[in-house]
Amino acid sequence: MTSSWLKQVRFDSNGLIPAIAQDHLTGKILMVAWMNAESLAQTVASQRAVYWSRSRQRLWRKGEESGHHQSVKDIRLDCDADVILLTIEQHGDIACHTGRNSCFYQRLNTDGDTPTWEITEPVLKDPDSIYS
């Protein structure tokens, strides 16, 4: 039986909801992923982030390959009940598969005639050494 709190979440037609992972100390947005009811319920039960991988079509326990897991400090639901905000502690300081702290490492530079994306964060660890 589905828990009453889970019934209040508005999943999309594919049974998914976007989930934002935010560092609990700095407030920095580290990544956005997707959750289904099962991954959200497992996240609540384990207090570790579990997402739904759209590319692999399976549950994805953050850090299962890289070791860079996320401990969940707080879970919030937005006013429309269609976005989840996870306040997390990022273990290993790498949330992005590119080896960076955040997936949001590119900033649009509009100083010149033509806007360009600039990289604002260094690679902390070579992704080839993280994923085998």
Side-chain angles (χ1 to χ4, degrees):
M1 180 164 66
T2 305
S3 300
S4 62
W5 67 266
L6 199 51
K7 288 179 185 177
Q8 295 175 44
V9 178
R10 291 185 48 214
F11 295 95
D12 69 14
S13 61
N14 296 313
L16 300 174
I17 187 169
I20 301 164
Q22 180 182 41
D23 185 282
H24 78 109
L25 293 176
T26 66
K28 183 178 183 179
I29 302 299
L30 300 180
M31 59 178 275
V32 175
W34 294 89
M35 296 180 127
N36 63 9
E38 184 180 5
S39 65
L40 181 54
Q42 285 191 22
T43 296
V44 170
S46 68
Q47 291 300 292
R48 285 181 64 164
V50 180
Y51 301 106
W52 175 257
S53 171
R54 294 178 301 165
S55 60
R56 293 175 261 184
Q57 290 292 295
R58 68 171 180 82
L59 292 179
W60 159 43
R61 288 163 183 80
K62 181 68 175 159
E64 66 190 353
E65 292 178 35
S66 68
H68 302 133
H69 69 277
Q70 296 172 343
S71 297
V72 177
K73 303 295 186 179
D74 192 35
I75 300 175
R76 294 182 181 249
L77 184 63
D78 82 323
C79 58
D80 293 324
D82 62 0
V83 177
I84 295 287
L85 174 63
L86 301 176
T87 306
I88 58 100
E89 178 181 354
Q90 179 64 56
H91 298 274
D93 202 34
I94 296 173
C96 184
H97 75 281
T98 66
R100 292 176 173 87
N101 172 249
S102 170
C103 293
F104 296 95
Y105 61 86
Q106 298 179 83
R107 179 176 98 44
L108 188 61
N109 181 342
T110 58
D111 290 340
D113 292 336
T114 306
T116 56
W117 292 105
E118 65 181 21
I119 294 176
T120 61
E121 290 192 19
V123 173
L124 300 176
K125 190 169 185 179
D126 180 358
D128 289 338
S129 69
I130 298 172
Y131 305 99
S132 52

